[in-house]
Amino acid sequence: MNPDKPNPNKLITLEQLLQRGDIWRGQSQGFAPQAALDSGHAELNECLLHKGWPLASLVEICQPAALNGTNMVSQGEWLLLAPALRQLKEGYTVLLNPPALPFAPGLIQAGIDLDRLLVVAAEKKADFLASFTELARADICTALMAWQPKHNLSYTELRKCQLACSEGKGLYLLFRPLSVRQQSSPAALRLRAQLHLRSLEIQVFKQKGSLNSANTSIHLALPETWLPIAAHANLGQEQSPPSTHSTNNVSSIKRAKRKVP
Amino acid sequence: MKNRLWLALRLPDLPLVSFPVHPEEQAVCVLEKQRVIYANTAALGAGVDIGMDVTRARLLSDCITYQRDMQREQEYLEQLTAHLYTFTPYVHIRRSNIVPDSGLLLEISRCLKLFGGLKNLCGKIATAMADISTAYGLAHTEEGAWLLSYDNSPISGDENPADFIARLNHVPIARLADWRDEVEALKRTGFNTLGDISRQIETQSISSIKKRLGKDFADFITRLFGIEQNFQQTALFEKPVQTYQPKEFFFDTMQFDYPITQVEQLHTPLEQMLQQLGAFLRKRKLACQKVEWRLFDIYQNSHHLSVHCAIPQNTWKLFYDLTLIQLESQQLPFAVDAIELTCQHLQKWQEQNQSLDFSGRRSKNRGGNDLALLEGKLKARLGEQAIFKVSYKDSHISEQTCEKLSAFTPVNQQLPQIHQHALRPTWLFENPLPAQYRQQTLSWRGTLQLLTGPERIEGYWWAAPKARDYYIAAREDGLRVWVYKDLVEGSWFVQGVFAG
């Protein structure tokens, strides 16, 4: 080796290496600040390393299947994501391989701008992967919500998705069934979402840069209209859930009022 | 102006070109707004008249009637124009808004020598027009030629402007169909032929006509006779004659030295040909939305490939990407020996306004182009129906309140007051899934507990009546679904999932 010619490897110092955002530094959490989008849920923001949904990274959300044997996974995803999506004032939100038809009246009520919502149907795995990488790299796609096709994605395929996400600037979410939770994944953030009778439980079980997230679990409140009707005896004391033409409730309230002396 | 010579080709049977041919004795009428605008000889013989009501025409002649097809007529005239372009570059279509007469006007003074004189040229044009009956008119002005086409005077080859003016002087003013009010006014004052108007101009100049009948009519008369309006000074410049612009298209072909079997080997030739297309489009300020590829092998077998994009393009890059996506998804059917690129439908390039952008933020136009690029790439891979938007549509029936639109169509997001607070799911099953109701328990892949409802939705009483009671139900695993009881059938269905 020519002694006059500087060796490029020798020029990289430890300090320079530590300035990189992707070097794991144990539990110190000394990561370079990463762009994040406020999730709109204060409790969830507290659990997330960058106080919001990490941008330009793959976020994996594992949910129980609503319809067995299909890719129909749906556990309050709009409830979880609508506050963040409402903040995006530019670009398009793209739904890739959604589990059912997005219902316009429901989405308008949730405050989603339908003019900036695109649906892309890609059921085959090869098409899904090509579309995912294309969308993640496109500047105009500021949020991507993708539902894994019927055939499970391998680690290599997920890695391709993660790499494409790192080239973009948006919010990239991949919904997968709960059964893959034990499998390894290169996603920067992995969550479990599970609806209960009174709350939506979110458990962060992997977060790049944090070892303490394994047991982090929070409960998000459900809208009042989703809650079960109050017990018959309590109807007089408690306000009943609002409903447009709730004839059952009206008759129950009438009956309850008669009981009150 | 005195050097010009116009040939009018009037097509009295043009309304018939769109329809099948019938025997001569069969009466045929073409209608527009329930009035006869064309009647063939048999129909005219039976007493049908132009402008007659359709019912009267049918009673008189038992005729076959057709609705006028203006678009087909226009296409036919454009075809003829392109054909007659071989004789003269000065050819244009003449259509009247009031009467159905249409035809073509040719300025032929500058091609007489080339075709061996007027008679020879007219003979050649008559051969070209053999498919349709044509009335010919020759004059020194465009308007004059058109009016004289009704006389069908024979063309001798040695006519001069004085002859044309003499012929025009005999034309009755009733033939000026586009000037109904003016003709009525002239008739009331005793004018019967164009000769009367001509004499009036000679004695009192055009200004008296202009004063009484308006500037437009006076202009028309000057154009008709080819006279100067301003007698003090002749016009410095003649009105230029309209030149026919033939439809432009792009075609390029490339022959390879050896047969190509790998798609990758095609990349460079495709890029080169598309770059040439891009240069062609930019030079002519044109854009296109679709290109066609044809691949050939040495036995002249061909394979066709069509590439579309949503927004007209004048650069090659997007077409290149879309072509590669299409080629990636399929194998080459044979070893490719030659390749052809055709672009038939070209349109004017709409320059986009670029506003000064001091903030450094991207303009909205850029977003539109990016979307076109993305949509084009995804459609090339997934098909035309794969990418869409959802929009609200006013309807009583739930599944009909959501419609799919293309990515560039603006959506309707205005929910009526009545639906703003009604509970609607975020996912909809286009085909509702049956739920089971046994022993007073409702179940769908788990027991369902009704939470809120019912909301009764009724409609379609005029077709298959629909009456449904909708509820929100919670499944035992916490999933909120939108269920309804069909009040007509008495069965339960799950139609949607609440996810937010």
Side-chain angles (χ1 to χ4, degrees):
Chain A
M1 189 182 283
N2 184 0
D4 298 336
K5 196 179 174 186
N7 184 352
N9 295 331
K10 281 185 182 173
L11 290 176
I12 300 170
T13 61
L14 183 62
E15 197 57 39
Q16 281 171 318
L17 278 175
L18 289 176
Q19 280 173 7
R20 285 177 61 113
D22 54 353
I23 301 286
W24 184 63
R25 294 165 67 179
Q27 294 183 29
S28 68
Q29 297 192 356
F31 276 70
Q34 192 190 343
L37 180 69
D38 181 7
S39 73
H41 306 284
E43 285 177 63
L44 182 61
N45 284 348
E46 283 305 311
C47 299
L48 300 172
L49 197 60
H50 303 286
K51 308 297 174 207
W53 295 115
L55 298 178
S57 340
L58 184 65
V59 178
E60 191 180 310
I61 300 176
C62 298
Q63 300 170 311
L67 258 173
N68 297 333
T70 65
N71 71 333
M72 173 68 200
V73 287
S74 175
Q75 296 278 321
E77 55 275 344
W78 290 106
L79 193 66
L80 179 65
L81 296 164
L85 296 178
R86 283 195 291 263
Q87 294 170 45
L88 298 170
K89 301 293 179 207
E90 278 190 344
Y92 286 80
T93 298
V94 183
L95 309 183
L96 178 62
N97 192 29
L101 179 71
F103 192 45
L107 293 174
I108 295 170
Q109 287 176 348
I112 306 293
D113 181 5
L114 295 187
D115 242 334
R116 294 192 294 117
L117 184 84
L118 284 178
V119 184
V120 178
E123 285 181 17
K124 290 181 192 162
K125 194 159 85 166
D127 288 342
F128 174 88
L129 279 170
S131 310
F132 188 99
T133 48
E134 194 71 60
L135 287 163
R137 288 185 179 122
D139 283 346
I140 57 156
C141 174
T142 46
L144 173 62
M145 294 166 71
W147 281 260
Q148 176 184 280
K150 265 184 198 175
H151 294 100
N152 194 17
L153 295 173
S154 67
Y155 186 89
T156 325
E157 287 156 347
L158 287 168
R159 177 87 183 124
K160 277 184 191 169
C161 294
Q162 161 65 23
L163 276 175
C165 293
S166 64
E167 289 174 34
K169 292 174 192 160
L171 173 63
Y172 307 109
L173 303 141
L174 178 63
F175 296 91
R176 301 182 74 197
L178 200 54
S179 53
V180 302
R181 191 188 153 175
Q182 296 305 321
Q183 294 171 12
S184 178
S185 164
L189 176 65
R190 297 183 80 193
L191 309 170
R192 182 179 74 98
Q194 166 86 59
L195 267 177
H196 296 290
L197 217 52
R198 293 191 168 272
S199 66
L200 171 65
E201 186 195 354
I202 304 292
Q203 189 189 10
V204 180
F205 64 89
K206 178 197 167 182
Q207 190 168 194
K208 220 179 195 177
S210 168
L211 283 176
N212 304 328
S213 54
N215 295 321
T216 318
S217 180
I218 56 161
H219 288 265
L220 303 179
L222 295 183
E224 273 191 12
T225 44
W226 290 23
L227 300 177
I229 298 168
H232 195 267
N234 301 335
L235 278 173
Q237 288 87 49
E238 205 174 295
Q239 198 185 352
S240 67
S243 90
T244 46
H245 304 288
S246 176
T247 50
N248 279 357
N249 286 350
V250 172
S251 56
S252 323
I253 291 165
K254 278 179 187 166
R255 267 181 264 132
K257 274 186 178 171
R258 268 187 230 124
K259 282 183 181 178
V260 179
Chain B
M1 206 179 278
K2 61 188 172 189
N3 295 329
R4 288 186 184 167
L5 186 62
W6 287 89
L7 179 67
L9 310 177
R10 192 169 51 80
L11 309 172
D13 289 345
L14 183 67
L16 273 190
V17 293
S18 322
F19 311 111
V21 179
H22 293 281
E24 271 184 28
E25 60 275 13
Q26 173 64 53
V28 180
C29 293
V30 181
L31 310 173
E32 193 174 27
K33 294 179 186 165
Q34 297 302 306
R35 297 265 162 197
V36 175
I37 56 120
Y38 171 85
N40 70 351
T41 323
L44 290 172
V48 178
D49 212 353
I50 303 300
M52 190 179 269
D53 182 56
V54 57
T55 324
R56 266 183 78 193
R58 279 191 186 134
L59 282 172
L60 280 168
S61 67
D62 194 21
C63 57
I64 297 174
T65 55
Y66 295 106
Q67 289 298 325
R68 189 180 187 189
D69 187 348
M70 291 284 274
Q71 197 186 342
R72 177 74 193 95
E73 283 181 24
Q74 183 66 26
E75 283 168 11
Y76 188 79
L77 285 172
E78 281 168 13
Q79 277 174 21
L80 279 182
T81 315
H83 191 36
L84 292 169
Y85 179 59
T86 50
F87 298 105
T88 171
Y90 309 109
V91 48
H92 67 263
I93 294 171
R94 181 188 163 109
R95 299 207 79 153
S96 167
N97 295 327
I98 294 163
V99 284
D101 283 355
S102 303
L104 301 162
L105 281 157
L106 288 75
E107 205 288 312
I108 51 173
S109 65
R110 279 162 268 192
C111 55
L112 292 176
K113 206 170 183 180
L114 178 66
F115 290 96
L118 180 62
K119 250 194 141 169
N120 270 339
L121 174 64
C122 290
K124 282 178 179 157
I125 291 174
T127 317
M129 301 291 289
D131 290 345
I132 186 163
S133 68
T134 312
Y136 297 89
L138 193 70
H140 61 306
T141 63
E142 193 179 326
E143 305 289 353
W146 187 257
L147 282 180
L148 289 179
S149 73
Y150 288 88
D151 287 350
N152 241 344
S153 313
I155 295 167
S156 62
D158 49 6
E159 287 93 344
N160 57 45
D163 297 335
F164 298 134
I165 290 175
R167 281 182 200 169
L168 281 171
N169 283 341
H170 290 103
V171 173
I173 56 166
R175 205 172 281 168
L176 308 178
D178 288 345
W179 304 94
R180 257 180 216 165
D181 296 343
E182 289 79 0
V183 167
E184 283 304 312
L186 284 166
K187 274 186 181 167
R188 280 198 297 274
T189 45
F191 287 79
N192 288 315
T193 60
L194 291 178
D196 297 340
I197 300 176
S198 167
R199 276 191 292 280
Q200 172 74 12
I201 295 170
E202 277 169 23
T203 53
Q204 294 202 351
S205 90
I206 190 80
S207 56
S208 62
I209 301 275
K210 194 189 274 183
K211 197 184 274 178
R212 283 176 180 79
L213 300 165
K215 184 176 180 300
D216 291 346
F217 187 70
D219 287 348
F220 167 72
I221 294 294
T222 53
R223 287 203 308 275
L224 176 65
F225 286 106
I227 50 176
E228 296 290 342
Q229 274 206 44
N230 186 350
F231 291 96
Q232 307 298 321
Q233 186 188 1
T234 52
L236 286 174
F237 303 105
E238 285 182 18
K239 188 189 165 201
V241 186
Q242 209 177 324
T243 313
Y244 174 69
Q245 296 291 334
K247 214 172 171 184
E248 286 192 278
F249 68 97
F250 178 85
F251 175 80
D252 195 11
T253 181
M254 191 179 274
Q255 182 90 32
F256 302 123
D257 295 337
Y258 53 90
I260 285 180
T261 48
Q262 301 287 320
V263 174
E264 289 74 23
Q265 291 174 299
L266 277 177
H267 288 193
T268 314
L270 292 176
E271 189 178 328
Q272 280 174 5
M273 289 171 84
L274 284 169
Q275 278 175 351
Q276 284 184 13
L277 170 68
F280 171 88
L281 294 173
R282 277 196 305 281
K283 277 179 195 162
R284 288 165 177 75
K285 289 205 167 186
L286 294 170
C288 68
Q289 273 184 284
K290 183 183 171 190
V291 296
E292 312 259 354
W293 292 101
R294 279 167 80 85
L295 313 177
F296 293 93
D297 69 355
I298 50 168
Y299 307 107
Q300 288 300 304
N301 294 318
S302 71
H303 178 66
H304 180 253
L305 212 66
S306 178
V307 179
H308 299 258
C309 60
I311 289 182
Q313 300 290 317
N314 75 341
T315 51
W316 59 277
K317 190 74 180 74
L318 178 59
F319 285 119
Y320 178 67
D321 289 346
L322 297 181
T323 308
L324 290 195
I325 290 172
Q326 285 210 18
L327 283 172
E328 270 170 28
S329 57
Q330 51 187 283
Q331 292 289 316
L332 287 181
F334 40 66
V336 180
D337 181 54
I339 188 162
E340 267 181 21
L341 169 65
T342 320
C343 186
Q344 286 283 1
H345 303 285
L346 299 169
Q347 45 189 290
K348 285 239 164 68
W349 172 244
Q350 302 287 324
E351 278 294 345
Q352 287 158 351
N353 291 329
Q354 300 288 337
S355 53
L356 285 173
D357 188 8
F358 295 111
S359 63
R361 292 171 65 183
R362 288 184 311 156
S363 67
K364 281 188 176 175
N365 286 337
R366 169 92 195 279
N369 276 338
D370 287 350
L371 178 63
L373 192 85
L374 184 68
E375 195 216 16
K377 284 180 181 178
L378 291 173
K379 273 189 176 172
R381 187 180 299 279
L382 306 169
E384 282 295 306
Q385 310 299 325
I387 178 162
F388 58 89
K389 277 182 184 175
V390 286
S391 171
Y392 173 73
K393 190 179 158 198
D394 204 14
S395 174
H396 288 292
I397 309 299
S398 316
E399 57 266 32
Q400 291 173 7
T401 55
C402 187
E403 65 172 340
K404 296 177 184 178
L405 298 176
S406 83
F408 290 95
T409 317
V411 302
N412 176 13
Q413 302 196 63
Q414 298 300 315
L415 273 188
Q417 191 69 32
I418 192 167
H419 286 161
Q420 276 176 12
H421 302 290
L423 292 164
R424 293 287 176 271
T426 40
W427 298 119
L428 185 84
F429 299 128
E430 287 175 90
N431 298 313
L433 305 169
Q436 290 74 44
Y437 185 70
R438 282 193 206 106
Q439 297 170 344
Q440 299 193 325
T441 309
L442 189 63
S443 59
W444 178 69
R445 293 168 162 87
T447 313
L448 295 176
Q449 181 197 351
L450 297 185
L451 299 180
T452 314
E455 178 193 352
R456 181 158 295 179
I457 292 176
E458 282 180 286
Y460 257 13
W461 51 265
W462 57 92
K466 286 188 167 62
R468 298 166 178 177
D469 275 348
Y470 277 90
Y471 300 85
I472 298 183
R475 204 164 70 176
E476 53 198 358
D477 62 355
L479 188 77
R480 272 23 174 219
V481 291
W482 203 35
V483 293
Y484 72 83
K485 184 182 182 184
D486 190 320
L487 299 176
V488 181
E489 292 178 18
S491 42
W492 288 81
F493 293 91
V494 177
Q495 201 176 15
V497 173
F498 286 84

